[in-house]
């Protein structure tokens, strides 16, 4: 019995220190995954008042090839999409989810979600120089994921 407790203690100590369990996973990537897992656990507790996730792009120049077709997607917290296409599993994926309330969901259905800042939304002055401001362009939310090739 001592072996089981020692194994459990070592596993928990390793988890609390934040070291990766398996080789080949960078410590900062492990911390991101641990934080994301905590976010999904908290979402399960709060799904009565905030039952949806809104998928959006993160701070990156290259959009994530897995989630880019689905930016602006709003799905229930329990939807299998979140397990089928998990966040931060591919290199360069900086995609985010935000839990939204029923009221905010209705507002997003009415007004749409803001398009991320890009070259197309940039405002230029009379001389053609960038001003640092962006136009507020909205697109309708998506309630179904984009079709995938098998």
């Amino acid at each position: 019995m001592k072996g089981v407790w020692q194994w459990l203690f070592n596993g928990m100590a390793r988890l609390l220190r934040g070291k990766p369990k398996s080789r080949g996973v960078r410590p900062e990537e492990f911390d991101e995954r641990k934080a994301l897992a905590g976010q999904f656990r908290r979402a399960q507790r709060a799904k009565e008042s905030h039952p949806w996730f809104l998928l959006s792009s993160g701070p990156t120049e290259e959009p994530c090839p897995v989630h880019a077709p689905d930016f602006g997607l709003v799905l229930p917290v329990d939807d299998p999409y979140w397990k089928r296409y998990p966040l931060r599993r591919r290199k360069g994926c900086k995609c985010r989810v935000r839990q939204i309330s029923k009221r905010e969901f209705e507002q997003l259905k009415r007004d749409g979600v803001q398009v991320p800042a890009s070259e197309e939304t940039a405002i230029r002055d009379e001389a053609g120089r960038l001003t640092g401001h962006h136009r507020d362009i909205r697109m309708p939310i998506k309630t179904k994921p984009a079709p995938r090739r098998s």
Side-chain angles (χ1 to χ4, degrees):
M1 199 63 174
K2 180 181 177 188
V4 172
W5 287 109
Q6 187 67 37
W7 173 79
L8 183 62
F9 175 76
N10 288 342
M12 288 305 293
R14 189 181 315 119
L15 185 65
L16 291 173
R17 281 194 309 263
K19 292 190 176 177
K21 291 181 185 177
S22 62
R23 293 182 179 158
V25 178
R26 297 184 329 270
E28 59 272 5
E29 187 177 328
F30 179 72
D31 290 341
E32 285 178 358
R33 289 182 186 179
K34 196 165 65 168
L36 200 59
Q39 180 182 4
F40 279 95
R41 277 195 304 274
R42 287 188 302 276
Q44 292 299 321
R45 291 194 303 260
K47 70 181 174 186
E48 184 139 342
S49 63
H50 290 72
W52 288 284
F53 273 142
L54 170 65
L55 179 67
S56 61
S57 66
T60 181
E61 292 183 18
E62 291 286 322
C64 171
V66 176
H67 302 111
D70 296 325
F71 289 157
L73 178 68
V74 177
L75 289 175
V77 170
D78 301 7
D79 198 276
Y81 175 88
W82 307 116
K83 288 184 180 168
R84 204 172 322 130
Y85 303 106
L87 303 174
R88 310 286 170 109
R89 294 293 176 168
R90 289 194 171 206
K91 187 176 181 177
C93 176
K94 299 288 184 193
C95 301
R96 314 174 187 174
V97 292
R98 185 168 60 89
Q99 201 165 2
I100 60 174
S101 65
K102 299 171 186 176
R103 183 177 176 189
E104 188 176 358
F105 176 68
E106 294 301 322
Q107 183 180 3
L108 286 173
K109 273 176 42 178
R110 186 181 65 241
D111 301 336
V113 67
Q114 186 173 354
V115 174
S118 67
E119 188 67 33
E120 291 82 35
T121 63
I123 297 175
R124 296 179 181 271
D125 62 6
E126 297 82 25
R129 295 182 302 240
L130 292 173
T131 62
H133 299 283
H134 292 271
R135 287 189 296 279
D136 184 20
I137 300 175
R138 300 205 162 257
M139 66 179 190
I141 62 169
K142 301 173 189 173
T143 54
K144 292 184 181 175
R148 305 273 201 257
R149 292 189 303 160
S150 301

PDB file of all heavy atoms in Angstrom, residues 2 17 21 27 32 35 43 48 51 53 60 73 94 97 119 132 134-135 137 144:
ATOM      1  N   LYS A   2       2.058   1.151   0.596  1.00  0.00           N
ATOM      2  CA  LYS A   2       2.931   2.305   0.655  1.00  0.00           C
ATOM      3  C   LYS A   2       3.296   2.776  -0.754  1.00  0.00           C
ATOM      4  O   LYS A   2       3.396   3.974  -1.014  1.00  0.00           O
ATOM      5  CB  LYS A   2       4.186   1.962   1.442  1.00  0.00           C
ATOM      6  CG  LYS A   2       5.146   3.115   1.555  1.00  0.00           C
ATOM      7  CD  LYS A   2       6.371   2.695   2.320  1.00  0.00           C
ATOM      8  CE  LYS A   2       7.352   3.862   2.356  1.00  0.00           C
ATOM      9  NZ  LYS A   2       8.610   3.464   2.911  1.00  0.00           N
ATOM     10  N   ARG A  17       4.075  21.541  -8.509  1.00  0.00           N
ATOM     11  CA  ARG A  17       5.280  22.277  -8.896  1.00  0.00           C
ATOM     12  C   ARG A  17       5.168  22.800 -10.320  1.00  0.00           C
ATOM     13  O   ARG A  17       5.936  23.643 -10.733  1.00  0.00           O
ATOM     14  CB  ARG A  17       6.502  21.362  -8.792  1.00  0.00           C
ATOM     15  CG  ARG A  17       7.000  21.178  -7.392  1.00  0.00           C
ATOM     16  CD  ARG A  17       8.388  20.568  -7.383  1.00  0.00           C
ATOM     17  NE  ARG A  17       8.502  19.377  -8.191  1.00  0.00           N
ATOM     18  CZ  ARG A  17       8.415  18.129  -7.751  1.00  0.00           C
ATOM     19  NH1 ARG A  17       8.194  17.903  -6.488  1.00  0.00           N
ATOM     20  NH2 ARG A  17       8.558  17.111  -8.568  1.00  0.00           N
ATOM     21  N   LYS A  21       4.150  16.294 -17.004  1.00  0.00           N
ATOM     22  CA  LYS A  21       4.131  14.871 -16.699  1.00  0.00           C
ATOM     23  C   LYS A  21       4.870  14.072 -17.763  1.00  0.00           C
ATOM     24  O   LYS A  21       5.479  13.065 -17.484  1.00  0.00           O
ATOM     25  CB  LYS A  21       2.698  14.369 -16.609  1.00  0.00           C
ATOM     26  CG  LYS A  21       1.942  14.892 -15.431  1.00  0.00           C
ATOM     27  CD  LYS A  21       0.570  14.309 -15.427  1.00  0.00           C
ATOM     28  CE  LYS A  21      -0.267  14.896 -14.320  1.00  0.00           C
ATOM     29  NZ  LYS A  21      -1.626  14.396 -14.348  1.00  0.00           N
ATOM     30  N   PRO A  27       7.376  23.533 -20.315  1.00  0.00           N
ATOM     31  CA  PRO A  27       6.695  23.913 -19.065  1.00  0.00           C
ATOM     32  C   PRO A  27       5.650  25.008 -19.248  1.00  0.00           C
ATOM     33  O   PRO A  27       4.575  24.941 -18.665  1.00  0.00           O
ATOM     34  CB  PRO A  27       7.831  24.385 -18.167  1.00  0.00           C
ATOM     35  CG  PRO A  27       9.040  23.696 -18.684  1.00  0.00           C
ATOM     36  CD  PRO A  27       8.834  23.559 -20.168  1.00  0.00           C
ATOM     37  N   GLU A  32      -0.167  26.576 -19.632  1.00  0.00           N
ATOM     38  CA  GLU A  32      -1.315  27.050 -20.407  1.00  0.00           C
ATOM     39  C   GLU A  32      -2.421  26.001 -20.411  1.00  0.00           C
ATOM     40  O   GLU A  32      -3.593  26.318 -20.243  1.00  0.00           O
ATOM     41  CB  GLU A  32      -0.904  27.339 -21.854  1.00  0.00           C
ATOM     42  CG  GLU A  32      -0.108  28.595 -22.044  1.00  0.00           C
ATOM     43  CD  GLU A  32       0.311  28.785 -23.491  1.00  0.00           C
ATOM     44  OE1 GLU A  32       0.004  27.914 -24.335  1.00  0.00           O
ATOM     45  OE2 GLU A  32       0.943  29.810 -23.776  1.00  0.00           O
ATOM     46  N   ALA A  35      -4.101  25.824 -17.017  1.00  0.00           N
ATOM     47  CA  ALA A  35      -4.995  26.970 -16.821  1.00  0.00           C
ATOM     48  C   ALA A  35      -6.269  26.805 -17.635  1.00  0.00           C
ATOM     49  O   ALA A  35      -7.371  27.110 -17.169  1.00  0.00           O
ATOM     50  CB  ALA A  35      -4.286  28.260 -17.205  1.00  0.00           C
ATOM     51  N   ALA A  43     -16.162  26.627 -15.819  1.00  0.00           N
ATOM     52  CA  ALA A  43     -17.288  26.852 -16.733  1.00  0.00           C
ATOM     53  C   ALA A  43     -18.413  25.869 -16.452  1.00  0.00           C
ATOM     54  O   ALA A  43     -19.594  26.223 -16.555  1.00  0.00           O
ATOM     55  CB  ALA A  43     -16.827  26.723 -18.176  1.00  0.00           C
ATOM     56  N   GLU A  48     -25.028  27.477 -15.527  1.00  0.00           N
ATOM     57  CA  GLU A  48     -26.425  27.847 -15.355  1.00  0.00           C
ATOM     58  C   GLU A  48     -26.662  29.315 -15.721  1.00  0.00           C
ATOM     59  O   GLU A  48     -27.632  29.644 -16.385  1.00  0.00           O
ATOM     60  CB  GLU A  48     -26.863  27.596 -13.905  1.00  0.00           C
ATOM     61  CG  GLU A  48     -28.314  27.883 -13.723  1.00  0.00           C
ATOM     62  CD  GLU A  48     -28.989  26.855 -12.854  1.00  0.00           C
ATOM     63  OE1 GLU A  48     -28.448  25.761 -12.672  1.00  0.00           O
ATOM     64  OE2 GLU A  48     -30.059  27.194 -12.364  1.00  0.00           O
ATOM     65  N   PRO A  51     -24.158  29.941 -20.046  1.00  0.00           N
ATOM     66  CA  PRO A  51     -24.149  28.620 -20.684  1.00  0.00           C
ATOM     67  C   PRO A  51     -23.387  28.507 -22.008  1.00  0.00           C
ATOM     68  O   PRO A  51     -23.316  27.423 -22.568  1.00  0.00           O
ATOM     69  CB  PRO A  51     -25.627  28.340 -20.913  1.00  0.00           C
ATOM     70  CG  PRO A  51     -26.261  29.669 -21.003  1.00  0.00           C
ATOM     71  CD  PRO A  51     -25.443  30.592 -20.168  1.00  0.00           C
ATOM     72  N   PHE A  53     -19.913  29.438 -24.748  1.00  0.00           N
ATOM     73  CA  PHE A  53     -18.550  29.892 -24.997  1.00  0.00           C
ATOM     74  C   PHE A  53     -18.525  30.627 -26.332  1.00  0.00           C
ATOM     75  O   PHE A  53     -19.143  30.185 -27.304  1.00  0.00           O
ATOM     76  CB  PHE A  53     -17.577  28.717 -25.118  1.00  0.00           C
ATOM     77  CG  PHE A  53     -17.006  28.233 -23.817  1.00  0.00           C
ATOM     78  CD1 PHE A  53     -16.805  26.885 -23.610  1.00  0.00           C
ATOM     79  CD2 PHE A  53     -16.634  29.108 -22.818  1.00  0.00           C
ATOM     80  CE1 PHE A  53     -16.256  26.417 -22.446  1.00  0.00           C
ATOM     81  CE2 PHE A  53     -16.085  28.648 -21.641  1.00  0.00           C
ATOM     82  CZ  PHE A  53     -15.898  27.303 -21.455  1.00  0.00           C
ATOM     83  N   THR A  60      -1.985  36.864 -32.131  1.00  0.00           N
ATOM     84  CA  THR A  60      -1.053  36.238 -33.056  1.00  0.00           C
ATOM     85  C   THR A  60      -1.231  36.814 -34.451  1.00  0.00           C
ATOM     86  O   THR A  60      -2.322  37.269 -34.801  1.00  0.00           O
ATOM     87  CB  THR A  60      -1.257  34.705 -33.076  1.00  0.00           C
ATOM     88  OG1 THR A  60      -0.335  34.122 -33.970  1.00  0.00           O
ATOM     89  CG2 THR A  60      -2.650  34.333 -33.485  1.00  0.00           C
ATOM     90  N   LEU A  73     -17.749  31.799 -33.272  1.00  0.00           N
ATOM     91  CA  LEU A  73     -18.629  30.665 -32.994  1.00  0.00           C
ATOM     92  C   LEU A  73     -19.094  30.713 -31.544  1.00  0.00           C
ATOM     93  O   LEU A  73     -18.299  30.937 -30.634  1.00  0.00           O
ATOM     94  CB  LEU A  73     -17.874  29.363 -33.254  1.00  0.00           C
ATOM     95  CG  LEU A  73     -18.603  28.063 -32.976  1.00  0.00           C
ATOM     96  CD1 LEU A  73     -19.732  27.869 -33.978  1.00  0.00           C
ATOM     97  CD2 LEU A  73     -17.647  26.895 -33.068  1.00  0.00           C
ATOM     98  N   LYS A  94      -3.284  30.367 -30.372  1.00  0.00           N
ATOM     99  CA  LYS A  94      -3.496  31.313 -29.279  1.00  0.00           C
ATOM    100  C   LYS A  94      -4.981  31.656 -29.151  1.00  0.00           C
ATOM    101  O   LYS A  94      -5.340  32.699 -28.618  1.00  0.00           O
ATOM    102  CB  LYS A  94      -2.711  32.605 -29.525  1.00  0.00           C
ATOM    103  CG  LYS A  94      -1.222  32.409 -29.623  1.00  0.00           C
ATOM    104  CD  LYS A  94      -0.651  32.093 -28.277  1.00  0.00           C
ATOM    105  CE  LYS A  94       0.859  31.994 -28.376  1.00  0.00           C
ATOM    106  NZ  LYS A  94       1.446  31.416 -27.203  1.00  0.00           N
ATOM    107  N   VAL A  97     -11.457  31.329 -25.579  1.00  0.00           N
ATOM    108  CA  VAL A  97     -12.898  31.214 -25.396  1.00  0.00           C
ATOM    109  C   VAL A  97     -13.281  32.129 -24.243  1.00  0.00           C
ATOM    110  O   VAL A  97     -12.497  32.355 -23.332  1.00  0.00           O
ATOM    111  CB  VAL A  97     -13.373  29.770 -25.104  1.00  0.00           C
ATOM    112  CG1 VAL A  97     -13.184  28.902 -26.306  1.00  0.00           C
ATOM    113  CG2 VAL A  97     -12.693  29.195 -23.908  1.00  0.00           C
ATOM    114  N   GLU A 119      -5.466  44.544 -41.201  1.00  0.00           N
ATOM    115  CA  GLU A 119      -5.162  45.544 -42.226  1.00  0.00           C
ATOM    116  C   GLU A 119      -6.436  46.088 -42.859  1.00  0.00           C
ATOM    117  O   GLU A 119      -6.524  47.254 -43.217  1.00  0.00           O
ATOM    118  CB  GLU A 119      -4.262  44.914 -43.294  1.00  0.00           C
ATOM    119  CG  GLU A 119      -3.730  45.883 -44.312  1.00  0.00           C
ATOM    120  CD  GLU A 119      -2.755  46.901 -43.723  1.00  0.00           C
ATOM    121  OE1 GLU A 119      -2.034  46.560 -42.787  1.00  0.00           O
ATOM    122  OE2 GLU A 119      -2.747  48.040 -44.223  1.00  0.00           O
ATOM    123  N   GLY A 132      -3.514  54.161 -36.354  1.00  0.00           N
ATOM    124  CA  GLY A 132      -3.508  53.349 -35.136  1.00  0.00           C
ATOM    125  C   GLY A 132      -4.907  52.989 -34.667  1.00  0.00           C
ATOM    126  O   GLY A 132      -5.077  52.263 -33.702  1.00  0.00           O
ATOM    127  N   HIS A 134      -8.927  51.531 -35.594  1.00  0.00           N
ATOM    128  CA  HIS A 134      -9.572  50.539 -36.462  1.00  0.00           C
ATOM    129  C   HIS A 134     -11.075  50.778 -36.487  1.00  0.00           C
ATOM    130  O   HIS A 134     -11.658  51.228 -35.500  1.00  0.00           O
ATOM    131  CB  HIS A 134      -9.282  49.120 -35.953  1.00  0.00           C
ATOM    132  CG  HIS A 134      -7.849  48.730 -36.101  1.00  0.00           C
ATOM    133  ND1 HIS A 134      -7.365  48.138 -37.225  1.00  0.00           N
ATOM    134  CD2 HIS A 134      -6.796  48.860 -35.267  1.00  0.00           C
ATOM    135  CE1 HIS A 134      -6.074  47.904 -37.081  1.00  0.00           C
ATOM    136  NE2 HIS A 134      -5.704  48.342 -35.889  1.00  0.00           N
ATOM    137  N   ARG A 135     -11.686  50.465 -37.628  1.00  0.00           N
ATOM    138  CA  ARG A 135     -13.143  50.564 -37.758  1.00  0.00           C
ATOM    139  C   ARG A 135     -13.791  49.435 -36.968  1.00  0.00           C
ATOM    140  O   ARG A 135     -13.257  48.334 -36.864  1.00  0.00           O
ATOM    141  CB  ARG A 135     -13.549  50.441 -39.234  1.00  0.00           C
ATOM    142  CG  ARG A 135     -13.220  51.655 -40.041  1.00  0.00           C
ATOM    143  CD  ARG A 135     -13.850  51.562 -41.428  1.00  0.00           C
ATOM    144  NE  ARG A 135     -13.334  50.457 -42.215  1.00  0.00           N
ATOM    145  CZ  ARG A 135     -12.181  50.476 -42.891  1.00  0.00           C
ATOM    146  NH1 ARG A 135     -11.428  51.548 -42.873  1.00  0.00           N
ATOM    147  NH2 ARG A 135     -11.794  49.442 -43.580  1.00  0.00           N
ATOM    148  N   ILE A 137     -16.129  46.843 -37.165  1.00  0.00           N
ATOM    149  CA  ILE A 137     -16.888  46.039 -38.120  1.00  0.00           C
ATOM    150  C   ILE A 137     -17.432  44.829 -37.376  1.00  0.00           C
ATOM    151  O   ILE A 137     -16.704  44.166 -36.637  1.00  0.00           O
ATOM    152  CB  ILE A 137     -15.992  45.595 -39.295  1.00  0.00           C
ATOM    153  CG1 ILE A 137     -15.438  46.815 -40.023  1.00  0.00           C
ATOM    154  CG2 ILE A 137     -16.760  44.695 -40.242  1.00  0.00           C
ATOM    155  CD1 ILE A 137     -14.455  46.489 -41.113  1.00  0.00           C
ATOM    156  N   LYS A 144     -23.057  27.138 -35.597  1.00  0.00           N
ATOM    157  CA  LYS A 144     -22.646  25.795 -36.036  1.00  0.00           C
ATOM    158  C   LYS A 144     -21.206  25.887 -36.516  1.00  0.00           C
ATOM    159  O   LYS A 144     -20.844  26.827 -37.213  1.00  0.00           O
ATOM    160  CB  LYS A 144     -23.529  25.294 -37.172  1.00  0.00           C
ATOM    161  CG  LYS A 144     -24.939  25.009 -36.746  1.00  0.00           C
ATOM    162  CD  LYS A 144     -25.721  24.428 -37.879  1.00  0.00           C
ATOM    163  CE  LYS A 144     -27.154  24.170 -37.409  1.00  0.00           C
ATOM    164  NZ  LYS A 144     -27.999  23.703 -38.494  1.00  0.00           N
TER     165      LYS A 144
END
